[in-house]
Amino acid sequence: MKFFSSRRLVYFIIAMIVTIALLTGSVLVRNRRATPPAIQQFGNDVAGIFARVVDWPVSQAHQGYDSISQLLSTYQENTQLRSKVDKLAQAQVRAQVLENENKVLKKQLKLNSTLTNYSLVNATVISRTPSSWLSQLVINVGQNAGIKKNMSVVAGKGLIGRISEVNKTTAKVELLSDDSETANRFAIQITNSAGKSVYGIITDFNRNTNRIIMGEVTSKIKLKKGDKVFTSGLGGITPKGLYVGKVERVTNSSNGLSKSVVIVPATDFGNIPVVSVAIQK
Amino acid sequence: MFGFFGGYHTKLKWIFPIMLFLLLFLDGAIYANMAGILTKNSSHTLPMFVALWLIYAITYELDEYLPIYLWTLVAGIIYDVFYFGVIGGYTVGFLILVWVCQKLRIYLSESLLSVLMITILGLTSLQLFTYLAANIAGLSIMTVPMFVLHTFTPTLALNVVMAVIMYVPCRYCLLFLKNN
């Protein structure tokens, strides 16, 4: 018997056309609209409630496991951290003084909004896309908390990605570790110990080594290992001063015209229980 | 409606979809909480409990008493909308999985090894389709060797192990539902 009888072939072709239309159509909608269609939003919000219920026991178990494993290394950590705490208190006081001074100076200059003006909205991760090409987190805040598409998201020590979809009570965060073209184009700057800055954008993420790449750098400014990388606020959507990571090394590109900076990300993309969304004022 | 209230196999008709949707959200919850282990060494090991549940349901011929394609379609749409925001990959992928398993069932029995065989072939077809779908949608820029090495193989390994662990409870649960 032939596998494709003429009727089967017709069904097969129709199914294929419908599938491709669905895929390309929904990608177009996702890229163009600020929010998904109302019915999709409604479905997402209802699913979000169930996801929260299912996530609760799993995250409790995870936290229990985590706290036990952390307990084993507590003593070692404690001795290391104690020395850091003293330094931190000093830095905190200094930061407070500088912040106040900054506020006063801004007022004098009549600068009402600068690139560093943002507030953070905290959110819990309720789910994660089980997929290898779309690393998305589902978080438990949405339009109700003032979240909008493309806002930057930080977790742990630094930047992790941006909002890719907003519903009423849930939102999706596309991680920086996705090497698709839309996920990780952030405007960043690196300031070296002499106080000089190199500006650029994140052009790539190396999955094998778990490193952020800032490519196409033509600046002659010398960068060292350990120089801090943060968002530059250029481009308007991302606020300035979100910590991204540290410089690991600078490599020459194959054509010799530009350099690439290899950056160690500040956050471990594998373990993100809570995130904060940066809302620009 | 669909024999939900009264009649033969009423329990099955309730419990099957409830488990299906529970496992649907469990996939994401486990991946969110265990991502540290599951995404180690640049690999992506995906838990696929929904797929396993569907495979078991078909192996034990529950599709004779259930509108299985309807439930699969609904689960697939929720999977795509809630996790991806792009509809198509798993909506069609799960339907293909069910279809493949139904075709394979004729040649295989209900023993553990047969279930594993169906699991391997079913998950292979599902994963290949989703990879293809991601390429059509322009989401994936992974090369085929990267995909096979870092996603396909670890996912298959994890889920075959899960299938073995789930064999005894699933067998009891599904046979009980089938006979009640």
Side-chain angles (χ1 to χ4, degrees):
Chain A
M1 195 189 86
K2 268 202 310 185
F3 179 70
F4 282 127
S5 61
S6 55
R7 192 202 268 178
R8 244 190 189 174
L9 187 66
V10 171
Y11 284 150
F12 178 75
I13 290 172
I14 290 174
M16 216 164 73
I17 291 171
V18 169
T19 311
I20 293 174
L22 263 178
L23 280 167
T24 45
S26 52
V27 166
L28 269 181
V29 168
R30 184 175 179 264
N31 290 346
R32 291 213 179 142
R33 293 180 57 145
T35 53
I39 180 140
Q40 204 173 328
Q41 277 190 46
F42 176 72
N44 267 320
D45 290 331
V46 174
I49 297 168
F50 288 105
R52 261 167 249 196
V53 174
V54 176
D55 180 64
W56 187 79
V58 181
S59 63
Q60 288 299 315
H62 176 229
Q63 279 168 20
Y65 170 79
D66 252 12
S67 48
I68 290 171
S69 63
Q70 275 168 16
L71 200 63
L72 299 173
S73 56
T74 309
Y75 178 73
Q76 220 175 11
E77 250 173 35
N78 190 26
T79 43
Q80 280 174 0
L81 289 176
R82 211 180 283 161
S83 62
K84 274 196 186 165
V85 166
D86 299 338
K87 282 184 206 158
L88 200 67
Q90 229 167 14
Q92 212 169 18
V93 170
R94 193 172 148 77
Q96 216 165 22
V97 172
L98 289 175
E99 201 178 327
N100 282 337
E101 196 180 84
N102 193 350
K103 223 182 258 174
V104 174
L105 289 173
K106 264 185 192 168
K107 213 179 252 172
Q108 274 191 352
L109 285 170
K110 292 189 177 110
L111 269 175
N112 288 324
S113 60
T114 54
L115 295 174
T116 47
N117 257 348
Y118 64 88
S119 61
L120 292 175
V121 171
N122 294 328
T124 314
V125 176
I126 52 174
S127 206
R128 185 173 172 142
T129 308
S131 152
S132 55
W133 40 79
L134 206 61
S135 303
Q136 287 188 136
L137 306 174
V138 183
I139 58 173
N140 69 348
V141 294
Q143 285 166 15
N144 57 357
I147 309 290
K148 290 200 185 84
K149 197 176 170 177
N150 286 330
M151 280 177 170
S152 313
V153 183
V154 290
K157 281 189 235 157
L159 187 72
I160 57 158
R162 59 163 59 106
I163 300 279
S164 62
E165 188 191 303
V166 199
N167 307 298
K168 288 275 180 299
T169 57
T170 60
K172 293 192 180 80
V173 181
E174 196 169 13
L175 294 183
L176 189 61
S177 59
D178 241 16
D179 43 13
S180 72
E181 279 163 16
T182 50
N184 54 21
R185 297 296 188 271
F186 280 96
I188 53 172
Q189 75 179 79
I190 308 170
T191 307
N192 67 4
S193 48
K196 287 186 173 167
S197 296
V198 178
Y199 293 88
I201 59 166
I202 297 175
T203 55
D204 211 354
F205 187 88
N206 190 334
R207 281 183 168 193
N208 293 331
T209 52
N210 194 27
R211 293 289 181 270
I212 297 167
I213 314 288
M214 171 175 149
E216 317 287 332
V217 179
T218 50
S219 164
K220 293 263 160 37
I221 295 168
K222 282 250 160 61
L223 294 172
K224 267 195 315 221
K225 187 181 172 180
D227 284 344
K228 289 196 170 64
V229 184
F230 47 92
T231 54
S232 63
L234 302 176
I237 303 163
T238 315
K240 187 175 179 163
L242 300 176
Y243 185 41
V244 177
K246 277 179 187 168
V247 172
E248 187 182 54
R249 63 198 151 86
V250 182
T251 55
N252 285 317
S253 69
S254 53
N255 55 21
L257 292 173
S258 60
K259 288 179 284 188
S260 305
V261 184
V262 181
I263 300 159
V264 186
T267 319
D268 167 21
F269 293 105
N271 191 4
I272 309 168
V274 282
V275 299
S276 309
V277 185
I279 298 180
Q280 213 162 9
K281 278 178 189 160
Chain B
M1 206 180 109
F2 301 124
F4 269 141
F5 305 104
Y8 204 49
H9 287 125
T10 314
K11 270 192 196 124
L12 171 70
K13 276 166 185 148
W14 280 99
I15 292 175
F16 175 79
I18 289 173
M19 275 300 281
L20 187 69
F21 293 120
L22 203 75
L23 292 174
L24 197 155
F25 294 114
L26 193 70
D27 271 1
I30 287 189
Y31 199 57
N33 281 295
M34 292 178 65
I37 303 163
L38 296 175
T39 60
K40 220 171 199 171
N41 303 328
S42 72
S43 69
H44 289 257
T45 316
L46 316 174
M48 288 187 163
F49 287 108
V50 180
L52 288 182
W53 181 247
L54 289 171
I55 288 167
Y56 269 105
I58 293 159
T59 316
Y60 287 100
E61 296 177 346
L62 295 186
D63 48 324
E64 313 240 324
Y65 320 108
L66 283 167
I68 197 149
Y69 279 101
L70 180 73
W71 285 128
T72 311
L73 186 72
V74 173
I77 289 174
I78 295 176
Y79 212 87
D80 274 339
V81 169
F82 182 63
Y83 289 128
F84 292 85
V86 176
I87 305 164
Y90 280 86
T91 310
V92 183
F94 282 143
L95 290 175
I96 290 176
L97 170 85
V98 170
W99 182 77
V100 167
C101 294
Q102 275 186 342
K103 293 285 160 206
L104 283 172
R105 188 179 59 194
I106 307 162
Y107 309 104
L108 295 162
S109 69
E110 291 174 6
S111 74
L112 178 61
L113 280 178
S114 302
V115 172
L116 291 188
M117 197 68 219
I118 295 180
T119 307
I120 290 169
L121 292 170
L123 287 180
T124 306
S125 55
L126 173 63
Q127 289 208 69
L128 288 184
F129 178 78
T130 51
Y131 177 69
L132 207 70
N135 271 305
I136 291 170
L139 290 173
S140 170
I141 50 166
M142 255 181 160
T143 55
V144 176
M146 270 278 279
F147 169 70
V148 172
L149 205 66
H150 291 311
T151 309
F152 177 75
T153 321
T155 303
L156 203 59
L158 173 77
N159 287 292
V160 167
V161 173
M162 289 317 296
V164 175
I165 295 170
M166 278 167 71
Y167 181 73
V168 175
C170 268
R171 189 185 158 80
Y172 273 101
C173 171
L174 293 176
L175 286 180
F176 169 78
L177 290 177
K178 203 174 159 184
N179 298 325
N180 270 280

mmCIF file of all heavy atoms in Angstrom, chain A residues 164-196:
data_model
loop_
_atom_site.group_PDB
_atom_site.id
_atom_site.type_symbol
_atom_site.label_atom_id
_atom_site.label_comp_id
_atom_site.label_asym_id
_atom_site.label_seq_id
_atom_site.Cartn_x
_atom_site.Cartn_y
_atom_site.Cartn_z
ATOM 1 N N SER A 164 9.378 39.656 27.754
ATOM 2 C CA SER A 164 9.042 39.367 26.365
ATOM 3 C C SER A 164 7.544 39.307 26.130
ATOM 4 O O SER A 164 7.096 39.373 24.994
ATOM 5 C CB SER A 164 9.681 38.046 25.939
ATOM 6 O OG SER A 164 9.174 36.985 26.713
ATOM 7 N N GLU A 165 6.763 39.148 27.199
ATOM 8 C CA GLU A 165 5.307 39.111 27.021
ATOM 9 C C GLU A 165 4.649 39.516 28.333
ATOM 10 O O GLU A 165 5.089 39.105 29.395
ATOM 11 C CB GLU A 165 4.878 37.695 26.635
ATOM 12 C CG GLU A 165 3.432 37.571 26.239
ATOM 13 C CD GLU A 165 2.989 36.120 26.134
ATOM 14 O OE1 GLU A 165 3.601 35.358 25.364
ATOM 15 O OE2 GLU A 165 2.027 35.764 26.825
ATOM 16 N N VAL A 166 3.611 40.338 28.260
ATOM 17 C CA VAL A 166 2.926 40.773 29.482
ATOM 18 C C VAL A 166 1.457 40.419 29.407
ATOM 19 O O VAL A 166 0.783 40.681 28.419
ATOM 20 C CB VAL A 166 3.017 42.306 29.669
ATOM 21 C CG1 VAL A 166 2.731 42.660 31.102
ATOM 22 C CG2 VAL A 166 4.333 42.826 29.242
ATOM 23 N N ASN A 167 0.957 39.796 30.454
ATOM 24 C CA ASN A 167 -0.471 39.557 30.601
ATOM 25 C C ASN A 167 -0.948 40.369 31.797
ATOM 26 O O ASN A 167 -0.196 41.146 32.359
ATOM 27 C CB ASN A 167 -0.730 38.070 30.791
ATOM 28 C CG ASN A 167 -0.095 37.266 29.690
ATOM 29 O OD1 ASN A 167 -0.436 37.424 28.534
ATOM 30 N ND2 ASN A 167 0.857 36.434 30.040
ATOM 31 N N LYS A 168 -2.201 40.137 32.209
ATOM 32 C CA LYS A 168 -2.715 40.926 33.335
ATOM 33 C C LYS A 168 -1.971 40.607 34.643
ATOM 34 O O LYS A 168 -1.552 41.501 35.357
ATOM 35 C CB LYS A 168 -4.203 40.651 33.513
ATOM 36 C CG LYS A 168 -5.074 41.261 32.429
ATOM 37 C CD LYS A 168 -5.419 42.707 32.727
ATOM 38 C CE LYS A 168 -6.291 43.322 31.649
ATOM 39 N NZ LYS A 168 -5.687 43.354 30.310
ATOM 40 N N THR A 169 -1.808 39.323 34.948
ATOM 41 C CA THR A 169 -1.193 38.974 36.238
ATOM 42 C C THR A 169 0.081 38.136 36.101
ATOM 43 O O THR A 169 0.667 37.757 37.098
ATOM 44 C CB THR A 169 -2.169 38.182 37.124
ATOM 45 O OG1 THR A 169 -2.571 37.023 36.391
ATOM 46 C CG2 THR A 169 -3.391 38.987 37.480
ATOM 47 N N THR A 170 0.481 37.828 34.893
ATOM 48 C CA THR A 170 1.747 37.119 34.694
ATOM 49 C C THR A 170 2.541 37.793 33.571
ATOM 50 O O THR A 170 1.977 38.549 32.790
ATOM 51 C CB THR A 170 1.535 35.638 34.291
ATOM 52 O OG1 THR A 170 0.790 35.600 33.075
ATOM 53 C CG2 THR A 170 0.833 34.851 35.364
ATOM 54 N N ALA A 171 3.815 37.512 33.546
ATOM 55 C CA ALA A 171 4.644 38.019 32.452
ATOM 56 C C ALA A 171 5.730 37.006 32.161
ATOM 57 O O ALA A 171 6.023 36.150 33.000
ATOM 58 C CB ALA A 171 5.254 39.362 32.833
ATOM 59 N N LYS A 172 6.316 37.073 30.970
ATOM 60 C CA LYS A 172 7.404 36.173 30.625
ATOM 61 C C LYS A 172 8.704 36.962 30.494
ATOM 62 O O LYS A 172 8.713 38.062 29.948
ATOM 63 C CB LYS A 172 7.105 35.450 29.307
ATOM 64 C CG LYS A 172 5.941 34.502 29.404
ATOM 65 C CD LYS A 172 5.857 33.609 28.183
ATOM 66 C CE LYS A 172 4.686 32.668 28.283
ATOM 67 N NZ LYS A 172 3.413 33.315 27.918
ATOM 68 N N VAL A 173 9.764 36.385 31.017
ATOM 69 C CA VAL A 173 11.079 37.018 30.952
ATOM 70 C C VAL A 173 11.963 36.191 30.033
ATOM 71 O O VAL A 173 12.148 35.000 30.264
ATOM 72 C CB VAL A 173 11.739 37.055 32.343
ATOM 73 C CG1 VAL A 173 13.084 37.737 32.267
ATOM 74 C CG2 VAL A 173 10.847 37.748 33.340
ATOM 75 N N GLU A 174 12.465 36.815 28.976
ATOM 76 C CA GLU A 174 13.375 36.099 28.088
ATOM 77 C C GLU A 174 14.788 36.302 28.600
ATOM 78 O O GLU A 174 15.242 37.432 28.770
ATOM 79 C CB GLU A 174 13.234 36.622 26.660
ATOM 80 C CG GLU A 174 13.841 35.681 25.647
ATOM 81 C CD GLU A 174 13.470 36.044 24.228
ATOM 82 O OE1 GLU A 174 12.956 37.140 24.003
ATOM 83 O OE2 GLU A 174 13.726 35.212 23.330
ATOM 84 N N LEU A 175 15.470 35.200 28.873
ATOM 85 C CA LEU A 175 16.785 35.288 29.493
ATOM 86 C C LEU A 175 17.844 35.728 28.498
ATOM 87 O O LEU A 175 17.788 35.412 27.314
ATOM 88 C CB LEU A 175 17.182 33.950 30.106
ATOM 89 C CG LEU A 175 16.368 33.455 31.285
ATOM 90 C CD1 LEU A 175 16.945 32.166 31.806
ATOM 91 C CD2 LEU A 175 16.338 34.484 32.378
ATOM 92 N N LEU A 176 18.806 36.427 29.042
ATOM 93 C CA LEU A 176 19.986 36.891 28.309
ATOM 94 C C LEU A 176 20.763 35.716 27.701
ATOM 95 O O LEU A 176 21.438 35.858 26.700
ATOM 96 C CB LEU A 176 20.840 37.590 29.371
ATOM 97 C CG LEU A 176 22.037 38.388 29.085
ATOM 98 C CD1 LEU A 176 21.620 39.533 28.223
ATOM 99 C CD2 LEU A 176 22.576 38.918 30.378
ATOM 100 N N SER A 177 20.631 34.548 28.333
ATOM 101 C CA SER A 177 21.409 33.394 27.876
ATOM 102 C C SER A 177 20.843 32.773 26.611
ATOM 103 O O SER A 177 21.409 31.838 26.071
ATOM 104 C CB SER A 177 21.461 32.336 28.979
ATOM 105 O OG SER A 177 20.160 31.937 29.303
ATOM 106 N N ASP A 178 19.724 33.294 26.148
ATOM 107 C CA ASP A 178 19.191 32.861 24.864
ATOM 108 C C ASP A 178 20.044 33.486 23.784
ATOM 109 O O ASP A 178 20.242 34.689 23.803
ATOM 110 C CB ASP A 178 17.769 33.413 24.727
ATOM 111 C CG ASP A 178 16.768 32.308 24.599
ATOM 112 O OD1 ASP A 178 17.128 31.172 24.924
ATOM 113 O OD2 ASP A 178 15.638 32.580 24.181
ATOM 114 N N ASP A 179 20.560 32.699 22.860
ATOM 115 C CA ASP A 179 21.395 33.376 21.870
ATOM 116 C C ASP A 179 20.611 33.819 20.638
ATOM 117 O O ASP A 179 21.170 34.006 19.587
ATOM 118 C CB ASP A 179 22.630 32.542 21.494
ATOM 119 C CG ASP A 179 22.280 31.105 21.312
ATOM 120 O OD1 ASP A 179 21.085 30.817 21.226
ATOM 121 O OD2 ASP A 179 23.206 30.275 21.250
ATOM 122 N N SER A 180 19.298 33.995 20.769
ATOM 123 C CA SER A 180 18.550 34.533 19.640
ATOM 124 C C SER A 180 18.813 36.036 19.552
ATOM 125 O O SER A 180 19.298 36.651 20.493
ATOM 126 C CB SER A 180 17.060 34.275 19.807
ATOM 127 O OG SER A 180 16.534 35.092 20.804
ATOM 128 N N GLU A 181 18.477 36.612 18.406
ATOM 129 C CA GLU A 181 18.911 37.989 18.159
ATOM 130 C C GLU A 181 18.183 39.020 19.002
ATOM 131 O O GLU A 181 18.689 40.108 19.242
ATOM 132 C CB GLU A 181 18.744 38.317 16.683
ATOM 133 C CG GLU A 181 19.914 37.778 15.878
ATOM 134 C CD GLU A 181 19.612 37.714 14.410
ATOM 135 O OE1 GLU A 181 18.644 38.340 13.972
ATOM 136 O OE2 GLU A 181 20.346 37.006 13.707
ATOM 137 N N THR A 182 16.968 38.705 19.441
ATOM 138 C CA THR A 182 16.228 39.719 20.174
ATOM 139 C C THR A 182 16.516 39.687 21.669
ATOM 140 O O THR A 182 16.301 40.661 22.365
ATOM 141 C CB THR A 182 14.714 39.510 19.986
ATOM 142 O OG1 THR A 182 14.428 38.144 20.261
ATOM 143 C CG2 THR A 182 14.277 39.888 18.608
ATOM 144 N N ALA A 183 16.985 38.549 22.175
ATOM 145 C CA ALA A 183 17.020 38.357 23.618
ATOM 146 C C ALA A 183 18.080 39.190 24.309
ATOM 147 O O ALA A 183 17.854 39.724 25.382
ATOM 148 C CB ALA A 183 17.227 36.889 23.948
ATOM 149 N N ASN A 184 19.265 39.315 23.710
ATOM 150 C CA ASN A 184 20.360 39.824 24.530
ATOM 151 C C ASN A 184 21.013 41.103 24.036
ATOM 152 O O ASN A 184 22.126 41.416 24.411
ATOM 153 C CB ASN A 184 21.407 38.736 24.704
ATOM 154 C CG ASN A 184 21.871 38.188 23.392
ATOM 155 O OD1 ASN A 184 21.718 38.843 22.375
ATOM 156 N ND2 ASN A 184 22.414 36.995 23.389
ATOM 157 N N ARG A 185 20.335 41.866 23.203
ATOM 158 C CA ARG A 185 20.954 43.110 22.740
ATOM 159 C C ARG A 185 20.754 44.216 23.778
ATOM 160 O O ARG A 185 19.819 44.991 23.695
ATOM 161 C CB ARG A 185 20.356 43.535 21.396
ATOM 162 C CG ARG A 185 20.596 42.562 20.279
ATOM 163 C CD ARG A 185 22.072 42.440 19.968
ATOM 164 N NE ARG A 185 22.304 41.649 18.775
ATOM 165 C CZ ARG A 185 22.453 40.338 18.771
ATOM 166 N NH1 ARG A 185 22.367 39.665 19.889
ATOM 167 N NH2 ARG A 185 22.673 39.689 17.655
ATOM 168 N N PHE A 186 21.657 44.275 24.753
ATOM 169 C CA PHE A 186 21.587 45.314 25.760
ATOM 170 C C PHE A 186 22.728 46.290 25.547
ATOM 171 O O PHE A 186 23.849 45.881 25.226
ATOM 172 C CB PHE A 186 21.723 44.710 27.160
ATOM 173 C CG PHE A 186 20.453 44.110 27.677
ATOM 174 C CD1 PHE A 186 20.209 42.754 27.551
ATOM 175 C CD2 PHE A 186 19.504 44.903 28.291
ATOM 176 C CE1 PHE A 186 19.034 42.201 28.024
ATOM 177 C CE2 PHE A 186 18.332 44.361 28.771
ATOM 178 C CZ PHE A 186 18.094 43.003 28.643
ATOM 179 N N ALA A 187 22.439 47.577 25.742
ATOM 180 C CA ALA A 187 23.499 48.573 25.657
ATOM 181 C C ALA A 187 24.263 48.567 26.973
ATOM 182 O O ALA A 187 23.682 48.756 28.028
ATOM 183 C CB ALA A 187 22.899 49.946 25.398
ATOM 184 N N ILE A 188 25.580 48.294 26.892
ATOM 185 C CA ILE A 188 26.366 48.195 28.122
ATOM 186 C C ILE A 188 27.599 49.084 28.062
ATOM 187 O O ILE A 188 27.975 49.556 26.996
ATOM 188 C CB ILE A 188 26.803 46.737 28.406
ATOM 189 C CG1 ILE A 188 27.505 46.136 27.197
ATOM 190 C CG2 ILE A 188 25.633 45.893 28.814
ATOM 191 C CD1 ILE A 188 28.125 44.792 27.465
ATOM 192 N N GLN A 189 28.204 49.304 29.202
ATOM 193 C CA GLN A 189 29.461 50.035 29.240
ATOM 194 C C GLN A 189 30.394 49.391 30.258
ATOM 195 O O GLN A 189 29.943 48.750 31.206
ATOM 196 C CB GLN A 189 29.232 51.510 29.581
ATOM 197 C CG GLN A 189 28.908 51.782 31.024
ATOM 198 C CD GLN A 189 28.729 53.272 31.268
ATOM 199 O OE1 GLN A 189 27.689 53.841 30.976
ATOM 200 N NE2 GLN A 189 29.750 53.896 31.795
ATOM 201 N N ILE A 190 31.684 49.512 29.976
ATOM 202 C CA ILE A 190 32.682 48.972 30.885
ATOM 203 C C ILE A 190 33.569 50.133 31.326
ATOM 204 O O ILE A 190 34.075 50.870 30.487
ATOM 205 C CB ILE A 190 33.544 47.899 30.195
ATOM 206 C CG1 ILE A 190 32.653 46.850 29.538
ATOM 207 C CG2 ILE A 190 34.490 47.237 31.190
ATOM 208 C CD1 ILE A 190 33.385 45.890 28.647
ATOM 209 N N THR A 191 33.707 50.288 32.624
ATOM 210 C CA THR A 191 34.568 51.357 33.132
ATOM 211 C C THR A 191 35.826 50.735 33.719
ATOM 212 O O THR A 191 35.733 49.844 34.565
ATOM 213 C CB THR A 191 33.822 52.164 34.212
ATOM 214 O OG1 THR A 191 32.577 52.583 33.662
ATOM 215 C CG2 THR A 191 34.618 53.373 34.638
ATOM 216 N N ASN A 192 36.970 51.174 33.258
ATOM 217 C CA ASN A 192 38.218 50.591 33.770
ATOM 218 C C ASN A 192 38.698 51.339 35.003
ATOM 219 O O ASN A 192 38.079 52.308 35.443
ATOM 220 C CB ASN A 192 39.289 50.535 32.674
ATOM 221 C CG ASN A 192 39.748 51.916 32.238
ATOM 222 O OD1 ASN A 192 39.326 52.918 32.797
ATOM 223 N ND2 ASN A 192 40.609 51.944 31.249
ATOM 224 N N SER A 193 39.820 50.888 35.559
ATOM 225 C CA SER A 193 40.271 51.457 36.836
ATOM 226 C C SER A 193 40.664 52.930 36.704
ATOM 227 O O SER A 193 40.650 53.678 37.683
ATOM 228 C CB SER A 193 41.441 50.631 37.366
ATOM 229 O OG SER A 193 42.383 50.424 36.337
ATOM 230 N N ALA A 194 40.982 53.369 35.477
ATOM 231 C CA ALA A 194 41.334 54.776 35.284
ATOM 232 C C ALA A 194 40.095 55.649 35.132
ATOM 233 O O ALA A 194 40.204 56.865 34.973
ATOM 234 C CB ALA A 194 42.219 54.913 34.052
ATOM 235 N N GLY A 195 38.921 55.018 35.142
ATOM 236 C CA GLY A 195 37.689 55.780 35.051
ATOM 237 C C GLY A 195 37.216 56.035 33.637
ATOM 238 O O GLY A 195 36.260 56.772 33.410
ATOM 239 N N LYS A 196 37.891 55.428 32.674
ATOM 240 C CA LYS A 196 37.467 55.626 31.281
ATOM 241 C C LYS A 196 36.491 54.528 30.874
ATOM 242 O O LYS A 196 36.620 53.382 31.321
ATOM 243 C CB LYS A 196 38.682 55.598 30.356
ATOM 244 C CG LYS A 196 39.497 56.850 30.494
ATOM 245 C CD LYS A 196 40.600 56.882 29.480
ATOM 246 C CE LYS A 196 41.301 58.232 29.530
ATOM 247 N NZ LYS A 196 42.550 58.207 28.805
#
